[in-house]
């Protein structure tokens, strides 16, 4: 049985479940498109807390203070995913058995220092090592996002994103919400990675996840990752890794290495363009130059083996570039067109409105904001500023 066949079978199963839920269980609201101008600042209760992770510590000790009280939250989240996996595979316990029994051995295949960091998280939370490992890889497959890099009229670059997560993962009929999305919101944190008491970079993470989806290296560059849907997707890469084909890198570990080691936008751009990965993705990069020959903002469209397109801000719009989860040269899925409303709101805001407040308003406008949105992150590279806010979408709201 080929890996490609297995990957396609899983994709078909997910689509079937999604359509089935939407037709039978979801309360589908009327479509709402809006451009709000009063969403910032959000309530203080929505502000995401910050933790320091000391990279000078041994890897197994770095996350203890962050996760020591988070074990029950992570466990509940994984139990939800296990339940969903069993339903997808007609009651089969294969995925659950792999997580519980084979996960510790799987950990041996992962690069350092990440393997030791996950061992430390397992010790601090009381979770099985296999569960911690799995918690750190499933973000490769279910992350549906909107990312924007924009230049204000003074030439300063801002980078903002919504992280939407939980599609297909447990529809709550009673509350009309996605179960995993609701479980993830309380786990959102800002992490200040430091060496010698100085910030190396800052990121927005889910507590217990050690990779990077949203980050800023102050004064140098910003980076976000959006999932790219592809028939040669992350499931195939995961199965190949399990079967011993390990030429590619985990996306979250690659981005972590980039944030720790890259000395600027151009070096980061080369690394995320050329490194082979287990899953396709979009990398959205912002730099610190907005004039001359090297205006720094781009979307890198990745196949697993390499980049297939590098789309620079100047050719996109001139003052901003925007990516959701579809190739910029193709049409979004009609059920998931967040791109067109986001462009509408950017045009409504104009370049004069580019700011932390302006971009937060764009990302708080439905359907860019939706039931899957866990947080909005807002970054300004020159000042090294990063803030993040939990997001909640009022009804009517999709999906679905």
């Amino acid at each position: 049985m080929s890996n490609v066949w297995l990957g396609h079978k899983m994709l078909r199963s997910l689509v079937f479940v999604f359509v089935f839920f939407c037709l039978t269980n979801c309360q589908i609201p009327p479509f709402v498109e809006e451009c709000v101008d009063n969403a910032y600042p959000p309530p203080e209760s929505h502000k995401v807390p910050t933790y320091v992770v000391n990279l000078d510590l041994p890897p197994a000790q770095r996350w203890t203070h962050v996760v020591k009280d988070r074990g029950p939250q992570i466990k509940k989240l994984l139990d939800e995913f296990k339940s969903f996996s069993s339903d997808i595979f007609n009651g089969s316990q294969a995925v659950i058995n792999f997580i519980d029994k084979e996960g510790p051995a799987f950990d041996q295949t992962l690069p350092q220092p990440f393997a030791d960091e996950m061992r430390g998280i397992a010790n601090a939370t009381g979770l099985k090592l296999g569960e911690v490992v799995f918690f750190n890889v499933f973000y490769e497959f279910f992350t549906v996002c909107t990312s924007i890099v924009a230049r204000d009229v003074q030439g300063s670059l801002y980078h903002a994103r919504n992280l939407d997560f939980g599609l297909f993962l447990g529809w709550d009929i009673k509350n009309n919400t996605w179960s995993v999305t609701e479980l993830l919101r309380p786990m959102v944190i800002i992490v200040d990675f430091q060496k010698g008491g100085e910030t190396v970079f800052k990121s927005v993470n889910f507590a217990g996840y050690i990779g990077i989806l949203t980050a800023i290296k102050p004064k140098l560059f910003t980076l976000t990752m959006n999932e790219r849907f592809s028939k040669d997707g992350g499931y195939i890469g995961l199965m190949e890794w399990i079967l011993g084909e390990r030429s590619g890198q985990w996306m979250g570990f690659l981005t972590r290495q980039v944030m720790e080691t890259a000395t600027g936008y151009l070096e980061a751009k080369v690394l995320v363009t050329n490194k082979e990965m287990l899953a396709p993705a979009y990398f959205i990069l912002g730099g610190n130059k907005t004039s001359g020959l090297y205006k720094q903002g781009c979307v890198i469209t990745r196949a697993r083996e390499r980049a297939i397109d590098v789309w620079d801000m100047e050719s996109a719009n001139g003052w901003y570039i925007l990516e959701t989860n579809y190739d910029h040269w193709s049409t979004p899925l009609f059920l998931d067109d967040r791109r067109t409303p986001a462009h509408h709101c950017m045009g409504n805001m104009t370049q004069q409105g580019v700011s932390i407040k302006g971009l937060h308003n764009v990302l708080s406008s439905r359907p860019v904001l939706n039931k899957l949105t866990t947080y909005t992150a807002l970054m300004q590279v020159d000042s090294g500023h990063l803030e993040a806010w939990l997001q909640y979408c009022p009804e009517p709201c999709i999906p679905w």
Side-chain angles (χ1 to χ4, degrees):
M1 186 181 297
S2 73
N3 295 340
V4 172
W5 185 87
L6 284 169
H8 288 175
K9 182 178 180 181
M10 181 175 285
L11 182 60
R12 287 197 300 271
S13 298
L14 290 171
V15 171
F16 172 79
V17 169
F18 171 66
V19 173
F20 177 77
F21 275 162
C22 283
L23 291 178
T24 61
N25 294 322
C26 302
Q27 302 172 24
I28 302 178
F31 179 75
V32 174
E33 180 179 333
E34 62 183 358
C35 293
V36 301
D37 61 7
N38 60 351
Y40 189 90
E44 192 67 20
S45 61
H46 293 186
K47 192 170 186 178
V48 173
T50 298
Y51 293 79
V52 172
V53 167
N54 183 359
L55 295 172
D56 294 321
L57 288 175
Q61 299 176 22
R62 292 172 181 172
W63 296 91
T64 299
H65 64 296
V66 178
V67 302
K68 61 182 179 180
D69 298 323
R70 303 276 188 166
Q73 289 179 303
I74 298 173
K75 178 69 174 174
K76 189 174 182 179
L77 181 66
L78 289 172
D79 286 346
E80 185 74 28
F81 185 83
K82 289 177 182 179
S83 174
F84 171 79
S85 299
S86 180
D87 291 341
I88 283 289
F89 293 103
N90 300 318
S92 169
Q93 298 293 300
V95 173
I96 296 172
N97 290 339
F98 175 77
I99 296 171
D100 290 343
K101 297 178 181 179
E102 303 300 328
F106 187 54
D107 158 75
Q108 300 294 327
T109 70
L110 299 175
Q112 294 290 7
F114 309 123
D116 280 349
E117 288 187 9
M118 285 186 281
R119 293 187 188 105
I121 291 171
N123 289 335
T125 58
L127 294 169
K128 295 177 181 178
L129 179 55
E131 292 178 321
V132 174
V133 172
F134 194 72
F135 182 72
N136 273 274
V137 301
F138 73 65
Y139 296 97
E140 310 260 336
F141 315 126
F142 294 100
T143 308
V144 186
C145 309
T146 302
S147 293
I148 304 168
V149 178
R151 182 174 64 221
D152 70 12
V153 291
Q154 285 78 38
S156 296
L157 276 174
Y158 293 78
H159 191 155
R161 71 96 47 83
N162 278 357
L163 193 138
D164 305 344
F165 192 94
L167 186 62
F168 307 124
L169 299 180
W171 179 255
D172 184 334
I173 300 171
K174 181 179 178 180
N175 296 307
N176 203 28
T177 57
W178 293 98
S179 300
V180 168
T181 307
E182 299 302 307
L183 291 170
L184 277 171
R185 281 199 192 94
M187 299 175 65
V188 180
I189 59 173
I190 291 175
V191 181
D192 185 344
F193 289 86
Q194 296 187 1
K195 284 186 176 180
E198 299 291 332
T199 297
V200 179
F201 68 98
K202 294 182 283 188
S203 67
V204 185
N205 287 49
F206 299 110
Y209 177 67
I210 64 175
I212 297 299
L213 303 172
T214 306
I216 181 169
K217 199 154 191 174
K219 302 187 183 302
L220 295 175
F221 64 92
T222 52
L223 171 66
T224 57
M225 188 285 299
N226 292 10
E227 183 182 357
R228 180 172 182 250
F229 307 126
S230 170
K231 64 181 180 180
D232 185 23
Y235 296 106
I236 298 173
L238 173 61
M239 286 181 281
E240 288 179 350
W241 189 281
I242 292 169
L243 295 172
E245 297 180 40
R246 297 179 183 134
S247 56
Q249 290 185 268
W250 292 101
M251 178 279 303
F253 300 155
L254 171 60
T255 50
R256 169 83 179 269
Q257 291 170 338
V258 168
M259 296 309 301
E260 288 194 34
T261 63
T263 57
Y265 171 88
L266 294 179
E267 184 179 352
K269 187 176 181 181
V270 169
L271 289 172
V272 298
T273 298
N274 295 324
K275 293 285 187 180
E276 184 177 352
M277 304 191 305
L278 268 66
Y282 300 101
F283 291 118
I284 301 89
L285 274 172
N288 59 7
K289 290 183 173 60
T290 59
S291 61
L293 297 176
Y294 300 105
K295 299 179 178 69
Q296 296 181 335
C298 69
V299 173
I300 299 167
T301 302
R302 282 295 313 262
R304 291 171 57 204
E305 296 79 11
R306 62 190 181 280
I308 61 173
D309 182 76
V310 178
W311 186 36
D312 289 306
M313 188 161 62
E314 287 305 300
S315 59
N317 182 283
W319 62 275
Y320 78 89
I321 193 165
L322 186 154
E323 176 61 50
T324 57
N325 299 94
Y326 302 93
D327 297 341
H328 67 86
W329 59 89
S330 66
T331 302
L333 180 69
F334 75 98
L335 287 172
D336 182 37
D337 186 5
R338 288 161 285 122
R339 179 204 294 172
T340 302
H343 279 302
H344 176 209
C345 291
M346 289 296 291
N348 185 64
M349 180 183 70
T350 75
Q351 188 175 11
Q352 282 68 32
V354 172
S355 62
I356 293 293
K357 176 181 178 179
L359 290 172
H360 187 274
N361 284 333
V362 170
L363 292 172
S364 299
S365 300
R366 293 172 293 183
V368 184
L369 173 68
N370 57 78
K371 288 183 183 291
L372 296 166
T373 308
T374 57
Y375 70 79
T376 294
L378 305 156
M379 300 179 280
Q380 204 290 307
V381 66
D382 297 321
S383 64
H385 178 76
L386 166 64
E387 62 184 76
W389 302 88
L390 302 182
Q391 284 278 27
Y392 302 86
C393 187
E395 297 287 3
C397 186
I398 62 168
W400 300 103

